[in-house]
Amino acid sequence: MGSKIIADAVQFSKMLRSLQDDCKDSCIYEEDIQILRVNGGKHLHNIYTGDRPVFICEKTAPQIDPEDDKMDETHSDDETHSDDETNHEVKIELGPQPLTIMKARQLLSWYTMSQNSIVSPAVSPADLLPPAVSPAPLLPLWVRCDMADPAGTTWLGAETACTGNKVSGVKLYSVTCAGSTVDKGAFITLDELKQEHKRRHHPSLMVARGTAQYNLFGSTVVEKTAIESQSSVTVDFRWSHVETILETPPLSSMATLNIKVSSGDMRSPMYLLYRELEFLQMLADGLRTGETEWMEPVDSRSAVQMTREYLDELQNTVKTLQDQSTNEAVKVKTEMGTSETEIFNSLMERGDLDFIEQLWVRMKNSVTSYQDVGDCLKMVIKALQYGDIKPWIHRDSSSSLSKLILQSYHHQMDHVSLTGLTPVHMLLEMGLDKMRKDYINYLIGQDLTTLNHLSYYLSTVEDLQEQVIRLRKLHHLLEIMVTCSTFLCLPYDRLFLLTQLCLQYYKTCPYDEDHEFKLQIKPALISHFYQKEQAVFWGVEVSSGNGPREVKTSLLLSDKPLVEHIIFETG
């Protein structure tokens, strides 16, 4: 009997080892058990801290075919349901399924025995003796449980404890759940939690540490100005010396902001800049695919009419180019509105829009076809060729049109064939130049970074598609900065640090609005957001012992279930 148990442990360990060494995502064991290799923090929520991979054992989820639930019906001969691929698509896959508590304990006992070197001489030395080079310890194992035992166990877990590279023991975890309640009086008290810990571990000294998470965008302080989008800003607290259950984190806590910002909300101060970027992306997509879905024009006048009026204005005006830039800046400001975004607009406002940038503003608000783009640029190039206009442009402009303007100063313009996608290519270059300067104006104007740190994002060596991608990253960074400065009123030193974190991240990582940027912060800076609010997650951990002998008893409270494989009544 003992040999059979140990042999089963060896077989189970081999399965885990294969999954770990081959970096597989999942496998099936004993036909009805699925073993997943996943991110522990993501699947175990606040129950398990850290982002290291773990094994999760669960019951193989059956697939339900909706056709099986239907009553027998008489179908006409021309109705067919024989396509296997179609049938596969309509099958409903259930969520994670738990195992029985007995099976979970068996799997954990196998895991524990397989890590015990003392057991190895008992049976099958060829299988159990360590190789010349000891393998890495197995990843932690967690098993979903069905809560059918009196304690209401939802998870059982095991994790190797190591001294150097050698396994010296196994830590065991047991997670029980009391379900949902609206009665705070039903919670266990801190003294009762400490007594529970004492009853199990008989410690001489205990420490109680607290954790909590607050949703800052959900608090009443920002309710009137919060952006209803996929954006979220939460704050995690950690502190020692917990005194009562659900206590508010003290100002001495360690606090970390988790910042996730999505672009495109209509009430965001960044919305008009986002729309401008979307127009830029539309042009880039048109160059890549050959097809463009034009956005609805902002201005009622046609693109040709607006361009014609602008050229006439340049020819007839007696004002200086500086006055023209100031006038245009006023127009752009009026267009952006004067609501709660005034402060942001004043920071983004530029009084140095050159000829090409002002032309871009008019065209992006009015063009609706390739023909519009081509006709507008033909008018501009013709005016340059005849010397009707001698516009001023920024010295560092890199667009094709800026090169033609420089050539026009010397009456030696290259011939440009405005056919095919060439006009769109030229317009995209104009927009890239203009928007890059917009972002520089804000970030450097607020002393959040330097041109050297922005060199990756401002490079014009790459192809236009890559330039647009980098510009989107820069825009996302700006969305984050505006959120943290406008809604959280973070001080300069925190905004500066966050800017550097974002710039560094996006140099090596793809564009990702779901990424959470983390920022250490002093609780006093945001205390007015959370001190009168209810935490979305609150926990206390009573611990004793040190190192491998440390043991913990924890209580976790959450406004939503922390367990995916059990359905709770949440009324």
Side-chain angles (χ1 to χ4, degrees), residues 399-439:
S399 65
S400 300
L401 183 57
S402 67
K403 295 174 183 176
L404 290 176
I405 291 174
L406 291 176
Q407 292 173 1
S408 73
Y409 295 163
H410 306 287
H411 308 288
Q412 294 179 346
M413 290 177 59
D414 293 337
H415 173 71
V416 178
S417 177
L418 296 175
T419 57
L421 294 175
T422 300
V424 175
H425 188 282
M426 293 178 65
L427 185 60
L428 179 57
E429 290 177 331
M430 294 161 56
L432 282 167
D433 260 4
K434 189 262 183 185
M435 295 198 72
R436 273 193 286 257
K437 289 183 177 66
D438 289 341
Y439 297 138

Side-chain angles (χ1 to χ4, degrees), residues 276-289:
E276 189 169 357
L277 183 65
E278 285 297 286
F279 183 84
L280 202 73
Q281 184 68 62
M282 176 202 70
L283 297 177
D285 292 342
L287 283 181
R288 190 180 70 253
T289 64

Side-chain angles (χ1 to χ4, degrees), residues 97 168 184 283 393:
Q97 299 296 300
S168 57
K184 293 183 180 180
L283 297 177
I393 60 172

Side-chain angles (χ1 to χ4, degrees), residues 442-502:
Y442 180 86
L443 293 172
I444 294 184
Q446 298 299 302
D447 290 327
L448 295 175
T449 187
T450 64
L451 279 175
N452 286 337
H453 287 102
L454 291 174
S455 59
Y456 166 83
Y457 300 93
L458 305 180
S459 173
T460 57
V461 177
E462 289 72 21
D463 62 67
L464 293 182
Q465 300 296 332
E466 176 62 23
Q467 290 182 44
V468 172
I469 291 173
R470 296 186 184 188
L471 195 67
R472 289 193 77 91
K473 292 179 178 181
L474 209 54
H475 178 89
H476 190 218
L477 180 152
L478 201 61
E479 292 263 17
I480 294 170
M481 294 304 109
V482 171
T483 297
C484 291
S485 60
T486 304
F487 293 98
L488 299 182
C489 301
L490 295 187
Y492 168 76
D493 67 311
R494 295 297 88 190
L495 293 176
F496 179 85
L497 177 58
L498 182 57
T499 301
Q500 307 315 308
L501 292 173
C502 294

Side-chain angles (χ1 to χ4, degrees), residues 24-127:
K24 297 177 182 178
D25 293 329
S26 64
C27 66
I28 301 298
Y29 184 73
E30 292 185 347
E31 296 185 356
D32 62 343
I33 297 176
Q34 180 173 236
I35 307 175
L36 306 175
R37 183 178 184 271
V38 296
N39 179 292
K42 182 177 179 180
H43 285 73
L44 289 159
H45 305 292
N46 295 87
I47 297 172
Y48 180 85
T49 57
D51 290 330
R52 68 176 296 193
V54 301
F55 296 124
I56 288 184
C57 287
E58 59 190 29
K59 189 175 182 179
T60 304
Q63 288 186 333
I64 299 177
D65 191 337
E67 295 297 323
D68 295 340
D69 294 336
K70 293 181 179 179
M71 297 179 63
D72 292 336
E73 297 178 359
T74 303
H75 298 286
S76 59
D77 294 338
D78 61 342
E79 289 180 325
T80 59
H81 301 275
S82 60
D83 186 4
D84 292 339
E85 184 175 344
T86 302
N87 288 339
H88 175 74
E89 289 177 356
V90 299
K91 288 182 178 179
I92 300 173
E93 187 171 335
L94 299 177
Q97 299 296 300
L99 297 169
T100 64
I101 188 70
M102 292 299 294
K103 190 62 181 180
R105 287 172 177 164
Q106 184 183 53
L107 295 178
L108 256 67
S109 68
W110 289 347
Y111 177 92
T112 304
M113 292 176 65
S114 70
Q115 301 304 295
N116 190 347
S117 59
I118 298 177
V119 179
S120 59
V123 296
S124 188
D127 287 334

Side-chain angles (χ1 to χ4, degrees), residues 215-326:
N215 184 357
L216 300 190
F217 268 0
S219 65
T220 55
V221 174
V222 296
E223 192 66 29
K224 294 181 180 178
T225 55
I227 299 175
E228 294 180 3
S229 68
Q230 297 303 312
S231 301
S232 66
V233 178
T234 60
V235 57
D236 292 330
F237 293 96
R238 294 184 180 278
W239 70 100
S240 302
H241 311 300
V242 177
E243 297 181 358
T244 58
I245 300 299
L246 285 178
E247 72 178 21
T248 300
L251 294 180
S252 59
S253 305
M254 291 182 58
T256 303
L257 287 176
N258 308 302
I259 306 162
K260 185 179 75 169
V261 175
S262 297
S263 303
D265 192 278
M266 293 182 66
R267 290 184 290 177
S268 167
M270 291 284 294
Y271 181 67
L272 288 174
L273 207 55
Y274 165 80
R275 290 287 294 171
E276 189 169 357
L277 183 65
E278 285 297 286
F279 183 84
L280 202 73
Q281 184 68 62
M282 176 202 70
L283 297 177
D285 292 342
L287 283 181
R288 190 180 70 253
T289 64
E291 297 181 1
T292 302
E293 295 184 10
W294 297 93
M295 299 168 64
E296 286 293 322
V298 175
D299 203 290
S300 59
R301 293 170 293 175
S302 69
V304 171
Q305 179 185 353
M306 292 187 69
T307 304
R308 179 72 269 167
E309 290 175 355
Y310 181 42
L311 295 177
D312 289 342
E313 178 186 342
L314 291 182
Q315 294 178 52
N316 300 328
T317 186
V318 294
K319 295 182 179 180
T320 63
L321 290 173
Q322 183 177 359
D323 289 337
Q324 294 169 10
S325 297
T326 303

